[in-house]
């Protein structure tokens, strides 16, 4: 037939096939989530999140040493207060100078100078009600109080030495508030502001909430995380956060939201786009592999390469430790 119908030759060799990808997965694209307990010697497997643990500050360095040696470049910290009586309506413990996140930021900065430390910023792990902000009497989020509090926590993490703060709260205007406070503190030039700009409500965060003890005590997050059908709303949230000063835009979840990642890349064409393969997506892949649907390593690569194909060059992945081995070989 007509030679123009012949495409097979262009991908007839493994190297030619790899050349078809616009972006190749490398170790430096990967961010590894860590759950930091306030029980210093704890190291507990998280049943619903395969291969992941909640660790106290005394267990973090020995765990990270081999990973850093293998090329781990970045971690994102989630504080998990396990001690009783810590949580309150304001999430006061979030920026406790002796709390797990601030202590771990300081420790990791000192122990692993090359490691890029990202602090997730939210209140849901620290509030008695489990919501990502401060509540009004009617149970909704008080936007001003929530934004004031979230931005204060972000500054505390930055002052403690976090290279990057990543507010996952989804309160309106928190990016602008954090950027302004970073400028006021004179540290805006040394802190990356990564916005969870398009973060959707839905059913894919269950294992994380088990791990972090951050299940809302009532209601849900549908009034502040985006509705899964809201593609235009996500585009508006991305545009807003870019305008408010975000340095990196993150989309979350990832594999169920590849169109949003490509929208984010189109809108934020001049900036890096991150995506978070969340706990439910990760656990689902493990369940599929366990059920014999596919090989775990194969689906880890195929799902992550799909996230890159959509336009992300930064991936928050619970597969990171294995990728450090798989990308080596
Ligand atoms: N701050 C919200 C945490 C949020 C899940 C939730 O809505 O509870 C994510 C963490 N940023 C969950 C991440 C995950 O499921 O892996
Ligand atoms: Zn939250």
């Amino acid at each position: 037939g007509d030679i123009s119908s012949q495409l097979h030759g262009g991908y007839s060799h493994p190297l030619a096939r790899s050349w078809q990808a616009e972006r190749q997965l490398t170790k430096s694209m990967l961010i590894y989530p860590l759950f930091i307990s306030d029980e210093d010697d704890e190291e507990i497997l998280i049943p619903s999140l395969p291969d992941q643990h909640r660790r106290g500050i005394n267990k973090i360095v020995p765990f990270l040493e081999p990973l850093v040696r293998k090329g781990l470049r970045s971690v994102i910290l989630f504080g998990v207060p396990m001690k009783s009586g810590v949580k309150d309506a304001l999430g006061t413990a979030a920026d406790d100078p002796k709390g797990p996140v601030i202590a771990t930021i300081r420790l990791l900065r000192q122990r692993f100078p090359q490691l890029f430390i990202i602090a997730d910023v939210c209140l849901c792990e620290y509030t008695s009600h489990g919501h990502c902000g401060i509540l009004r009497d009617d149970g909704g989020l008080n936007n001003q109080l929530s934004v004031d509090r979230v931005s204060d926590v972000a500054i505390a993490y930055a002052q403690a030495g976090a290279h990057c703060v990543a507010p996952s709260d989804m309160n309106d205007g928190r990016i602008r508030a954090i950027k302004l406070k970073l400028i006021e503190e004179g540290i805006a030039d040394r802190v990356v502001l990564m916005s969870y700009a398009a973060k959707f409500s839905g059913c894919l965060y269950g294992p994380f909430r088990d791990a972090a003890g951050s299940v809302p005590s009532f209601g849900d997050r549908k009034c502040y995380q985006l509705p899964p059908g809201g593609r235009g709303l996500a585009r508006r949230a991305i545009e807003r956060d870019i305008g408010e000063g975000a340095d990196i835009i993150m989309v979350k979840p990832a594999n169920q939201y590849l169109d949003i990642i490509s929208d984010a890349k189109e809108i934020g064409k001049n900036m890096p786009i991150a995506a978070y393969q969340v706990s439910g997506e990760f656990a689902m892949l493990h369940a599929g592999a366990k059920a014999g649907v596919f090989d775990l390593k194969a689906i880890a690569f195929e799902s992550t390469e799909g996230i890159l194909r959509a336009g992300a060059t930064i991936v928050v992945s619970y597969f990171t430790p294995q990728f450090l081995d798989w990308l080596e070989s």
Side-chain angles (χ1 to χ4, degrees), residues 78 120 122 124-125 132 168-169 196 199 204-205 208-209 214 221 225 252 276-280 318:
F78 295 98
D120 178 86
C122 197
C124 52
E125 295 112 7
C132 305
S168 62
D169 57 304
Y196 288 76
K199 173 176 180 175
L204 290 166
Y205 303 134
F208 175 95
R209 293 179 183 169
S214 56
R221 307 200 198 286
Q225 293 175 352
K252 172 185 181 180
Y276 193 144
Q277 187 175 66
V278 298
S279 58
Y318 295 104

Side-chain angles (χ1 to χ4, degrees), residues 10 60 62 88 110 122-124 129 141 151 154 187 249 281 287:
I60 291 290
D88 63 18
Q110 184 262 329
C122 197
L123 301 182
C124 52
H129 46 71
L141 285 178
S151 51
I187 55 175
I249 291 295
E281 294 177 309

